[in-house]
Amino acid sequence: MESIFALFFLCVTGTHVSCSPGPLEDVVIDRYDIPRVCPREVQTGDFVRYHYNGTFTDGKKFDSSHERGAPFSGQVGLGRLITGLDRGVQGMCVNERRKVTVPPHLAYGSIGAGDVIPADTVLVFDVVLLDIWNTEDKVQTRTLSKPESCKRLAEATDFIRYHYNGTLLNGVPFDSSHSRNGTYDTYVGMGYLIKGMDEGLIGMCVGETRTIIIPPFLAYEEKGYGTVIPSQATLVFEVFMIDLFNPKDDIAVVVKEVPKTCTRKTVVGDYIRYHYNGTFQDGSGFDTSYQRNSTYNTYIGMGYVIQGMDKALQGLCIGEKRRVILPPHMAYGEKGTGDIIPGSAVLVFDIHVIDFHNPKDLIEIKVTSKPKKCNLTSEVDDLIQYRYNCSLMDDMKTYRLSNKVIEGLDEGLRGMCVGEKRVVIVPPHLGHGENGAKGVPSSAVLHFELELLDLQKGVPDGYMFVWLGDSPDPLFPAMDLNKDLSVPLEEFTAFINIQVVEGTGRLRPGMDADGIIKDMFNNQDRNRDGKIVAEELKLKVEEDSDKARHEEL
């Protein structure tokens, strides 16, 4: 709402001012545009910066700071302005517009001002206040928003990254990091910034937004800055702190979850599979393995990952979750990487360890249950029947084995009794290796829960029948059950079955016994006449070798 009133500053000296009609005795002020918010009003001793148009009462212009392109700057109440204008700007707010009418005796009096202002002339000034400050002013800070948790405050010698919008006190913008799409990165408290900004940034949290108001003598003073910041300008910055660190910082680790049992922790040289979420300190994400549905796999402490991560991955348990904070000098440094990670960025990783192993690892066997009597154990070439659960080390997925038994499982099944239960941990190089398998990721450690259900003793690879002791000597008379000097298939079959029943010989388990015996018979019936004679039981020399071997019999 417009208001027109007169300020009777003579009252300050005790002089009585009459309000009766007559010559203008004091300034008349028309506050025709008042801002809704006025945190500060001009007082004697303040410095002000304002634009004005000066006219006579008939509207003729005699002066204008607008036309010169430079606002007026000066101190109020110390006689550096004409008295009427000195009084007319007191009580003004920044961005307020006033029309100040000044009588001659409070302007240039009976002398005037050269050829510009005649003697005894009433002057009218249309003023807009741009800035106000005082030599007693200090940097003002006001927090606009702040994260609930603030574990660290910016201190002198810290390196910080922040966004800002910079305006003059009247709201006119002069610079913004947002428009450049890049943070302002600098050390704080070390003289790299204007004094007021150095002071105003101290004590900020990552994620905090604050307003910093800097008086001219702690900013660019009389010189200003190019064409964007005028002389003696108060500066207002709205700052959002992105992250901060100190060059002396080491990695920071926050353990989120540790499994109840942890029999082994990662060391240098181990190969690890882990999931991660990567964010900056303000919480914005830059990468995640979950989105790719694939773990990150690497050796530890061997320079395959950034320095800070190499260190952070040591001393972890399978299943452990932890947050690691990496300062830039232990991450991607001043250069950053591509368009993803800016220079001097602090990185935050939330890690979940899936599994790890060492290339020198053997299988791990833990017997969980075993019968009291165990006279017969599984060996190479035995035929066994077993029950299993196969999962990854994070217990998240279970897989079905193919018919081909992997090397580590083959080894883990040896030495078992029927009824025995055990857990077998198979490292990748004894499992499915770097290539993985259907449902098994690359370089995955496998967890087997095994129970042996049945066991049939086997025979060496390449044999269909073995003697469990010394074979009959001579052999043919023992085979010739009816002593007619020839052994047909029926008689040969009866002979072999007698050996199996009496425990003196063993057929290959898991195969058709009659089929095996027929193959054995055909192997001895050299002339294919349907019977075996003594002369056919002899050494057979392989065509492709100069070494002889006895056949099954």
Side-chain angles (χ1 to χ4, degrees):
M1 182 176 66
E2 296 184 358
S3 58
I4 300 176
F5 58 93
L7 294 180
F8 299 98
F9 287 95
L10 294 178
C11 296
V12 175
T13 62
T15 304
H16 175 71
V17 179
S18 173
C19 294
S20 60
L24 191 63
E25 297 183 3
D26 205 342
V27 295
V28 175
I29 298 174
D30 176 5
R31 303 180 72 184
Y32 67 89
D33 190 355
I34 304 173
R36 292 183 179 180
V37 179
C38 182
R40 179 175 184 177
E41 295 180 347
V42 176
Q43 297 178 358
T44 299
D46 285 343
F47 287 84
V48 292
R49 187 165 52 86
Y50 59 83
H51 266 304
Y52 69 90
N53 285 319
T55 63
F56 301 119
T57 54
D58 62 0
K60 182 180 179 181
K61 189 182 297 183
F62 64 84
D63 191 16
S64 173
S65 65
H66 295 280
E67 293 180 357
R68 290 195 302 274
F72 176 83
S73 297
Q75 194 173 14
V76 176
L78 299 181
R80 297 182 181 180
L81 306 174
I82 59 173
T83 304
L85 198 52
D86 219 11
R87 296 177 181 178
V89 298
Q90 294 205 34
M92 281 193 80
C93 306
V94 170
N95 283 329
E96 180 181 340
R97 294 178 181 272
R98 287 184 176 183
K99 182 176 289 186
V100 181
T101 303
V102 182
H105 66 280
L106 296 178
Y108 293 98
S110 59
I111 299 176
D115 297 333
V116 179
I117 299 175
D120 297 318
T121 302
V122 175
L123 304 180
V124 179
F125 292 91
D126 195 326
V127 180
V128 56
L129 187 64
L130 305 177
D131 202 344
I132 175 175
W133 59 279
N134 193 286
T135 55
E136 300 298 320
D137 286 350
K138 297 181 180 180
V139 174
Q140 300 176 54
T141 62
R142 180 165 65 94
T143 298
L144 303 179
S145 65
K146 194 173 185 177
E148 293 182 2
S149 175
C150 182
K151 297 181 180 179
R152 179 173 183 175
L153 304 176
E155 301 177 354
T157 75
D158 281 344
F159 192 91
I160 61 175
R161 296 173 56 242
Y162 62 92
H163 270 300
Y164 69 89
N165 288 318
T167 64
L168 304 179
L169 194 60
N170 65 334
V172 175
F174 62 82
D175 193 17
S176 172
S177 64
H178 297 280
S179 64
R180 295 191 297 274
N181 197 30
T183 56
Y184 193 86
D185 307 341
T186 185
Y187 288 94
V188 66
M190 297 180 66
Y192 291 101
L193 300 166
I194 56 175
K195 293 180 181 179
M197 184 63 91
D198 247 352
E199 182 180 337
L201 291 168
I202 296 294
M204 285 192 74
C205 298
V206 170
E208 179 180 346
T209 301
R210 68 166 53 170
T211 298
I212 302 173
I213 302 176
I214 304 173
F217 56 88
L218 295 176
Y220 292 99
E221 305 177 293
E222 293 182 3
K223 294 180 180 180
Y225 190 85
T227 59
V228 293
I229 299 178
S231 172
Q232 301 291 21
T234 301
L235 305 183
V236 181
F237 291 92
E238 185 176 290
V239 176
F240 175 64
M241 184 71 74
I242 300 296
D243 65 25
L244 66 91
F245 71 95
N246 194 282
K248 297 180 181 180
D249 284 350
D250 199 348
I251 65 170
V253 176
V254 179
V255 177
K256 295 292 190 70
E257 183 179 325
V258 179
K260 293 182 179 179
T261 57
C262 180
T263 58
R264 175 179 174 182
K265 295 186 176 183
T266 53
V267 296
V268 172
D270 283 344
Y271 191 87
I272 187 171
R273 296 173 57 244
Y274 63 94
H275 271 301
Y276 69 88
N277 283 320
T279 63
F280 300 114
Q281 283 203 95
D282 63 356
S284 58
F286 61 82
D287 192 19
T288 173
S289 63
Y290 294 98
Q291 192 174 38
R292 295 188 296 274
N293 196 29
S294 175
T295 57
Y296 191 87
N297 308 338
T298 187
Y299 287 96
I300 299 173
M302 298 176 69
Y304 290 101
V305 292
I306 53 178
Q307 180 186 356
M309 185 62 82
D310 241 356
K311 185 173 182 179
L313 290 173
Q314 298 178 39
L316 287 158
C317 304
I318 289 177
E320 182 173 340
K321 296 180 180 179
R322 62 169 55 175
R323 170 170 287 184
V324 294
I325 303 172
L326 311 183
H329 51 276
M330 301 187 76
Y332 292 99
E334 295 180 2
K335 295 182 179 180
T337 175
D339 297 329
I340 301 174
I341 298 175
S344 301
V346 177
L347 305 184
V348 181
F349 289 93
D350 287 301
I351 294 172
H352 179 202
V353 180
I354 302 302
D355 65 35
F356 65 86
H357 71 281
N358 194 282
K360 298 179 181 180
D361 282 350
L362 304 176
I363 64 169
E364 296 179 34
I365 298 176
K366 179 182 179 181
V367 177
T368 57
S369 177
K370 192 171 185 178
K372 292 182 179 180
K373 292 184 179 181
C374 182
N375 298 322
L376 194 65
T377 59
S378 55
E379 299 175 314
V380 174
D381 297 320
D382 287 348
L383 179 67
I384 62 173
Q385 183 181 359
Y386 62 96
R387 183 181 291 118
Y388 72 89
N389 283 320
C390 175
S391 63
L392 302 181
M393 296 300 289
D394 61 356
D395 293 326
M396 292 299 292
K397 297 178 181 178
T398 302
Y399 303 105
R400 182 173 180 83
L401 291 175
S402 62
N403 292 330
K404 184 179 179 180
V405 177
I406 57 177
E407 181 180 351
L409 180 58
D410 193 57
E411 184 178 342
L413 287 167
R414 299 176 192 178
M416 290 187 75
C417 305
V418 173
E420 180 179 338
K421 296 180 181 179
R422 59 172 57 172
V423 172
V424 177
I425 308 298
V426 180
H429 50 277
L430 297 175
H432 291 287
E434 293 183 2
N435 294 328
K438 185 178 180 180
V440 180
S442 169
S443 301
V445 178
L446 299 180
H447 178 279
F448 289 94
E449 296 176 358
L450 304 175
E451 179 183 4
L452 188 61
L453 303 177
D454 188 44
L455 167 62
Q456 297 180 51
K457 301 305 291 182
V459 300
D461 189 30
Y463 284 79
M464 295 180 285
F465 173 87
V466 293
W467 294 101
L468 299 180
D470 293 331
S471 61
D473 190 16
L475 178 58
F476 185 78
M479 290 173 51
D480 187 10
L481 299 179
N482 61 7
K483 307 305 179 186
D484 64 353
L485 301 181
S486 67
V487 179
L489 176 59
E490 294 78 7
E491 191 175 4
F492 183 81
T493 300
F495 171 74
I496 294 298
N497 285 332
I498 290 171
Q499 311 312 310
V500 173
V501 171
E502 293 179 352
T504 57
R506 181 187 302 151
L507 289 168
R508 174 172 290 280
M511 299 181 66
D512 177 53
D514 290 339
I516 292 176
I517 294 172
K518 185 175 180 180
D519 286 343
M520 293 171 62
F521 177 84
N522 291 336
N523 198 35
Q524 298 299 327
D525 182 14
R526 307 293 172 81
N527 59 11
R528 299 292 185 266
D529 63 355
K531 59 185 178 180
I532 300 172
V533 297
E535 288 77 12
E536 291 177 312
L537 293 178
K538 61 182 181 179
L539 289 175
K540 179 181 179 183
V541 180
E542 298 287 345
E543 295 179 359
D544 60 346
S545 172
D546 59 357
K547 293 183 178 181
R549 67 171 178 85
H550 282 285
E551 297 171 54
E552 280 85 345
L553 297 179

